[in-house]
Amino acid sequence: MRKINYRTEEEIELIRESSLLVGKTLAEVAKNIKPGVTTLELDAIAEDFIRSHDAVPGFKGYNDFPGSLCTSVNDEVVHGLPTKEALCEGDIVSVDCGVYKNGYWGDSAYTFSVGEIDEEVSNLLKRTQEALKLAIDVAVSGNRIGDIGFAVQSYTESFGYGVVRELVGHGLGTDLHEAPEVPNYGRKGNGPKLVEGMVLAIEPMINLGGKSIRQKKDGWTIVTADGKPSAHFEHDIVVRKGKAEVLSTFEYIEEVLKTI
Ligand code: MG
Ligand code: MG
């Protein structure tokens, strides 16, 4: 098993800087989400914004991924490729963004609605975001990785949703994906112990229907097996005593959404 890194306060500040830039980038994307826009256009907006802040859109070229964003529409769970296809009223789009700056990563994701969406899908988005909050609440030193997964799984399954198993959160720092894995399912008290200075990307991927997924022929995009929508929210946090500190933010996004 790979070794878990414990970050110094100086390193945490650099991860925070990258994570905040992701939040600002997602807000730029949010300004442009409307029926008719393509995810390829959103991708270009994100890339320009990140580069204009002296940072690298880290997803671009990561394992040969072509975009600066992962854009996953409706039944697409994660790792969706930006395309020339326009978003439509009633769609949802999960936008995942990674930034690399000063040697450290930020990684955060938000699922947006395109115009008015069905109430059951709207509830899925709200509850997936709430699951992320509940997960962060238990990401404190002395707890274990399984406590995070349990928090997400017990809450979201109470609504009959499917919790994706094959894709998980992760440690984060000088690499995008570091140990430990942070599953969105689990048992209380199981798994590696949470220790101060561990930086984790927590990212529930929750399906309106069943938990099963498959990969599209493009070699990237993950979709739900039953074709039902899926939501994805992600924050970067550092484990502290008593209360985790969130390094990424949705504040800039929420300011934009208030004006739409
Ligand atoms: Mg991500
Ligand atoms: Mg991630």
Side-chain angles (χ1 to χ4, degrees), residues 4-137:
I4 294 173
N5 294 305
Y6 304 96
R7 300 299 178 181
T8 64
E9 293 304 321
E10 289 76 14
E11 290 183 292
I12 290 165
E13 284 316 305
L14 293 171
I15 299 168
R16 188 197 313 276
E17 192 180 332
S18 293
S19 300
L20 290 179
L21 182 54
V22 174
K24 289 176 185 168
T25 306
L26 291 173
E28 284 304 301
V29 170
K31 286 178 193 168
N32 293 280
I33 291 181
K34 48 180 163 286
V37 75
T38 72
T39 47
L40 211 46
E41 287 166 338
L42 299 176
D43 190 71
I45 289 163
E47 178 170 359
D48 288 349
F49 188 82
I50 293 165
R51 292 197 192 281
S52 74
H53 287 78
D54 301 319
V56 174
F59 288 179
K60 203 177 179 94
Y62 187 88
N63 294 334
D64 294 326
F65 188 80
S68 295
L69 300 175
C70 295
T71 53
S72 308
V73 181
N74 295 333
D75 65 327
E76 296 175 352
V77 180
V78 288
H79 302 168
L81 303 176
T83 72
K84 283 190 236 171
E85 213 171 310
L87 294 174
C88 299
E89 176 86 20
D91 284 346
I92 57 169
V93 57
S94 300
V95 181
D96 194 348
C97 179
V99 154
Y100 185 70
K101 186 174 182 178
N102 301 320
Y104 290 85
W105 284 85
D107 179 18
S108 178
Y110 196 95
T111 302
F112 298 93
S113 52
V114 184
E116 290 294 312
I117 60 170
D118 288 348
E119 193 185 356
E120 67 171 354
V121 180
S122 174
N123 285 337
L124 173 71
L125 303 195
K126 280 184 210 144
R127 289 161 180 169
T128 303
Q129 199 174 345
E130 178 64 20
L132 173 56
K133 273 195 199 130
L134 296 173
I136 293 169
D137 285 346

